[in-house]
């Protein structure tokens, strides 16, 4: 059980991500014929709520730099994830090797 | 959970920045002190930062039909204590605010407060509480990381409700609206974050038991178990 725990946990995470994709159906276009968007960012939806609560509110500062397109945006997000995952992978790889070498040293010392 | 650039009134933006600044300064101090005393922990600090980088880049779908992302601050808060996460969270938020127009400089203070202060403090407190009542190691980590994630989004909802109270129902009605968008969406994502944090801790407990013992994260018996 302990041995396969991490594998099981990963599978549960994948299932958790997949369930909404499968469950949430795209609603039919509204009376104005516009497609209803699903899986929008929650941050965007919060912006809509602000628009309803305070219709006169104008943002008083704009981002200094915006990704020129959605593609560039996803490039930067992928870069962020890759940097993080790369470092974690390096550290775990190093730790595995170190633990193995330690075990071998112990065995040699016993001989 | 990122409040967008310019979307907090000036007074709120300044207020949250002033509230977050001492945590970031004290956090830098604790990190510097720790690295001076135990330079070998530098790599593990990098892992904590890297985990936050990965998780906050992953926008995942939720059953509410919208997308959001985990925060990844629970891991570092359990390893290094909550104060260390304030500067680390700030680096991640700055990266996203400057390069991605995700979050913002004027809302940086408020976003640091929810993601890099409330979340980590909640994680550390829940972990210690779970250990005091002797819950199993994995369950303690799971509860700490997932509730910290959820509380971060509850905080964001409260910050927005505080800035934009409902004309009729005031703070409570507005909080209910923001929490439906943020906190409810976040529930399955918080579970995912909790599970992923357990995965990393399982690996650390197996390959780096010495480090975890030194950092008082686990006791000697737990490592052998």
């Amino acid at each position: 059980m302990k041995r396969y725990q991490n594998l099981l946990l990963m599978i549960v995470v994948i299932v958790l991500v997949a369930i909404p994709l499968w469950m949430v159906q795209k609603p039919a276009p509204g009376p104005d014929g516009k497609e209803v968007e699903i899986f929008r960012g929650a941050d965007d939806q919060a912006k809509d709520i602000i628009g309803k609560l305070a219709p006169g509110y104008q943002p008083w500062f704009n981002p200094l730099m915006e990704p020129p397109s959605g593609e560039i945006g996803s490039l930067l997000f992928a870069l962020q994830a890759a940097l993080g995952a790369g470092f974690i992978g390096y550290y775990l790889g190093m730790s595995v090797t170190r633990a193995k070498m330690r075990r071998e040293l112990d065995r040699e010392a016993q001989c | 959970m990122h409040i967008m650039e310019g979307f907090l009134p000036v007074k709120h933006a300044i207020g949250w920045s002033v509230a977050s600044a001492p945590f970031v300064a004290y956090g830098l101090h604790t990190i510097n002190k720790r690295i001076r005393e135990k330079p070998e922990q530098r790599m593990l600090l990098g892992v904590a930062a890297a985990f936050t980088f990965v998780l906050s880049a992953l926008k995942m779908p939720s059953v509410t039909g919208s997308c959001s992302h985990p925060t990844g601050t629970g891991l570092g808060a359990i390893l290094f204590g909550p104060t260390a996460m304030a500067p680390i969270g700030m680096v991640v938020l700055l990266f996203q605010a400057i390069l991605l127009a995700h979050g913002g400089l004027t809302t940086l203070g408020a976003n640091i407060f929810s993601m890099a202060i409330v979340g980590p403090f909640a994680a550390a407190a829940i972990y210690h509480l779970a250990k005091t009542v002797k819950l199993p190691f994995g369950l303690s980590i799971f509860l700490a990381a997932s509730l910290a994630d959820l509380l971060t989004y509850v905080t964001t909802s409260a910050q927005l409700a505080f800035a934009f109270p409902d004309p009729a129902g005031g703070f409570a009605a507005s909080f209910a609206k923001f929490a439906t968008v943020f906190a409810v969406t976040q529930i399955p994502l918080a579970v995912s974050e909790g599970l992923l944090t357990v995965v990393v801790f399982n690996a650390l407990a197996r390959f780096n038991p010495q480090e975890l013992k030194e950092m008082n994260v686990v006791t000697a018996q737990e490592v052998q178990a």
Side-chain angles (χ1 to χ4, degrees), chain A residues 80-100:
Chain A
Q80 188 190 331
L83 285 174
F87 190 85
I88 295 175
Y90 170 75
Y91 182 77
L92 285 180
M94 187 192 85
S95 302
V96 171
T97 315
R98 201 176 52 181
K100 207 160 111 191

Side-chain angles (χ1 to χ4, degrees), chain B residues 149-225:
Chain B
D149 178 316
L150 196 60
L151 279 172
T152 296
Y153 280 78
V154 171
T155 308
T156 305
S157 309
Q159 287 170 326
L160 283 171
F162 184 40
F164 301 99
D166 191 284
F171 175 84
S174 171
F175 177 72
K177 280 181 194 161
F178 285 115
T180 326
V181 165
F182 280 125
V184 179
T185 300
Q186 200 62 22
I187 293 170
L189 275 67
V191 173
S192 292
E193 163 153 12
L195 297 175
L196 288 173
T197 310
V198 175
V199 167
V200 174
F201 264 105
N202 278 343
L204 291 178
R206 183 156 167 217
F207 301 114
N208 308 77
Q210 202 59 43
E211 278 92 338
L212 291 194
K213 250 185 285 176
E214 263 172 35
M215 299 167 90
N216 289 322
V217 174
V218 290
T219 54
Q221 303 104 326
E222 278 173 321
V223 169
Q224 278 155 11

Side-chain angles (χ1 to χ4, degrees), chain A residues 2-68:
Chain A
K2 189 84 197 162
R3 215 182 141 166
Y4 296 107
Q5 198 188 26
N6 270 5
L7 190 65
L8 276 174
L9 291 177
M10 301 274 223
I11 293 171
V12 175
V13 171
I14 294 172
V15 170
L16 271 175
V17 174
I19 286 175
L21 292 177
W22 168 73
M23 240 177 65
V24 178
Q25 297 290 329
K26 204 171 174 130
D32 50 355
K34 251 196 240 161
E35 291 268 321
V36 185
E37 258 189 282
I38 52 169
F39 295 122
R40 288 175 62 213
D43 296 351
D44 266 343
Q45 288 176 316
K47 197 163 81 175
D48 297 348
I49 300 182
I50 294 176
K52 275 182 208 142
L53 289 174
Y57 185 80
Q58 284 299 322
W60 54 281
F61 197 81
N62 286 318
L64 300 175
M65 204 169 91
E66 256 177 277

Side-chain angles (χ1 to χ4, degrees), chain B residues 124-135:
Chain B
I126 294 164
Y127 183 68
H128 284 292
L129 194 73
K131 271 186 83 175
T132 339
V133 297
K134 298 210 162 39
L135 288 183

